[in-house]
Amino acid sequence: MKKKILSLIAVGVLAAGLLAGCGGNANESGGDAQKEGGDAPAVSAQEEEAGGTEDAGGAEKKDGKFTIGYTYYYSSEFITLMNQGVQEKCDELGLDVIMLDAENDSSNQITQVENLIAQKVDCLYIAAVDSDAIVPAIDMAKEANIPLVAVNMTINTDEDYYYSGPDDVLAGKLEMESAIEAIGGKGNVCILEGPIGQSAQIDRLEGNKQALAENPDIEVVADQTANWSREEAQDIVDSWLQAFEIDAIVAHNDEMALGAIMAIQSAGLTPGEDIIVTGVDAIEDGCNAVKDGTLLSTVYQDAKLEGGQGIELCNQILNGETPEKFINLIDMTQYTKDNVQELIDELYS
């Protein structure tokens, strides 16, 4: 069944109720595709309208400011950038924010949601550890009459909520297509996935599969999660290199791609020549690896834009406005050695 990612509207009036939301998944090919069935929600049309024009009425400010209660899955270079976007947008809009690291523990994240509700935050903002495990937060938010907005990772529910995140299906398709083209349309490929159950893992894998379906001469010889970790990816690829002949490694983020590069180099091979590696996120280390040729390509996910865009949704809801769209996907752009310097100059110089 198709699962929709929609939104939570402010206290007291949206018939949809207050809900929550990468990593979510949606269909990521340009924002218009939809996920079919599966364990994760599908982000259906990026242009889907929020529907309804009722005034949500807004929330009551405490001490002159609204407070956002924000829990995210775990700290990384990408999340650091996203949190900068969150803080900058909160400063711009005059919002207070409480930021909590769930440390990749879904039960810990639910406890954090409970604590934020007990602190009477005005809006919950959630980057889920797990798209299924976070579902109870929806009912918790409803019962507390607190709106909930999802960022970066979707929630596996049929209920409606607002969401700001990446077009992960598109990202997965772009990186797999890049690897397949580089190895001439045939050969052995390995996939390093994100944490199983996160919407980013589900959707990027869906994008990988879409590209593979168009290239029957590619064989996936190994497919395993490395939990977004550079170190775990290095250990896994060390083992793969002893067991398989590998032409390309497609990693669901740059951290894991960098771990794969380290393993390839440790084996006396040359990444970019002996084995192709691709990634997603365009973190600084990833961009530099693209520049030096060890990483073939990375798909840019604007972490600061994504985090700030979700805070804008929270602010609109709290001020009694109805956001224009439930699903708010940011653009995903692939960078290679030909154009990555532009991104480095823009983001990291």
Side-chain angles (χ1 to χ4, degrees):
M1 123 188 255
K2 292 183 182 176
K3 303 207 169 194
K4 293 183 181 177
I5 297 182
L6 303 167
S7 82
L8 264 188
I9 308 193
V11 182
V13 317
L14 241 196
L18 310 166
L19 306 174
C22 186
N25 294 38
N27 186 325
E28 279 142 0
S29 53
D32 292 324
Q34 289 185 343
K35 239 180 182 337
E36 297 278 340
D39 294 329
V43 171
S44 73
Q46 179 175 356
E47 300 303 322
E48 184 163 1
E49 296 298 328
T53 57
E54 288 185 21
D55 180 4
E60 182 179 351
K61 293 183 179 180
K62 304 175 186 68
D63 301 323
K65 286 187 175 183
F66 290 124
T67 298
I68 309 298
Y70 170 39
T71 168
Y72 53 90
Y73 45 89
Y74 88 113
S75 294
S76 65
E77 183 176 337
F78 174 82
I79 286 292
T80 298
L81 290 171
M82 190 166 81
N83 289 355
Q84 288 176 9
V86 168
Q87 187 63 64
E88 289 172 6
K89 185 58 68 173
C90 284
D91 292 343
E92 175 189 328
L93 297 174
L95 304 171
D96 287 331
V97 60
I98 300 169
M99 294 191 186
L100 301 175
D101 182 350
E103 298 179 335
N104 241 0
D105 184 329
S106 56
S107 62
N108 184 40
Q109 187 163 58
I110 289 293
T111 299
Q112 289 177 343
V113 170
E114 292 171 338
N115 291 338
L116 290 168
I117 290 172
Q119 294 177 60
K120 300 186 184 300
V121 298
D122 297 294
C123 186
L124 289 166
Y125 193 46
I126 298 177
V129 171
D130 183 279
S131 295
D132 289 310
I134 197 61
V135 170
I138 294 174
D139 288 336
M140 293 161 58
K142 281 184 184 178
E143 291 171 7
N145 206 29
I146 297 174
L148 187 158
V149 173
V151 61
N152 190 251
M153 299 289 174
T154 61
I155 296 176
N156 194 4
T157 178
D158 288 325
E159 297 195 57
D160 297 345
Y161 59 94
Y162 286 112
Y163 174 72
S164 172
D167 192 348
D168 277 319
V169 175
L170 177 60
K173 186 173 184 181
L174 287 173
E175 66 161 348
M176 181 61 78
E177 288 175 339
S178 176
I180 290 171
E181 181 180 2
I183 62 175
K186 61 182 179 180
N188 294 340
V189 172
C190 296
I191 302 173
L192 287 166
E193 296 186 42
I196 302 302
Q198 283 193 356
S199 57
Q201 172 264 325
I202 296 166
D203 288 346
R204 290 176 191 176
L205 184 60
E206 173 62 25
N208 294 161
K209 290 178 178 178
Q210 288 181 8
L212 289 165
E214 299 169 0
N215 293 274
D217 292 329
I218 297 295
E219 181 179 359
V220 177
V221 295
D223 184 356
Q224 185 174 339
T225 180
N227 295 303
W228 304 135
S229 167
R230 193 178 305 197
E231 292 75 19
E232 283 191 48
Q234 183 177 5
D235 290 342
I236 289 168
V237 175
D238 280 339
S239 299
W240 285 351
L241 291 172
Q242 298 175 44
F244 308 108
E245 291 292 329
I246 301 171
D247 298 298
I249 296 173
V250 173
H252 285 180
N253 76 341
D254 286 349
E255 290 286 354
M256 295 188 297
L258 293 164
I261 288 168
M262 292 164 64
I264 293 166
Q265 291 171 330
S266 295
L269 301 171
T270 303
E273 295 181 13
D274 297 317
I275 299 176
I276 296 299
V277 183
T278 63
V280 177
D281 284 345
I283 63 174
E284 185 171 11
D285 285 350
C287 287
N288 286 329
V290 171
K291 182 179 178 180
D292 69 26
T294 55
L295 184 63
L296 175 68
S297 64
T298 184
V299 180
Y300 177 43
Q301 179 179 178
D302 190 335
K304 292 177 71 173
L305 173 63
E306 183 179 320
Q309 178 176 263
I311 292 297
E312 287 181 343
L313 293 174
C314 296
N315 189 59
Q316 289 173 25
I317 292 166
L318 290 172
N319 283 291
E321 302 171 17
T322 300
E324 181 180 350
K325 295 182 292 185
F326 292 122
I327 301 162
N328 298 268
L329 303 183
I330 63 171
D331 291 335
M332 308 294 278
T333 304
Q334 190 166 62
Y335 284 86
T336 66
K337 197 169 186 177
D338 292 336
N339 61 351
V340 74
Q341 187 61 53
E342 301 170 9
L343 191 61
I344 291 172
D345 291 342
E346 178 184 344
L347 297 181
Y348 305 119
S349 61

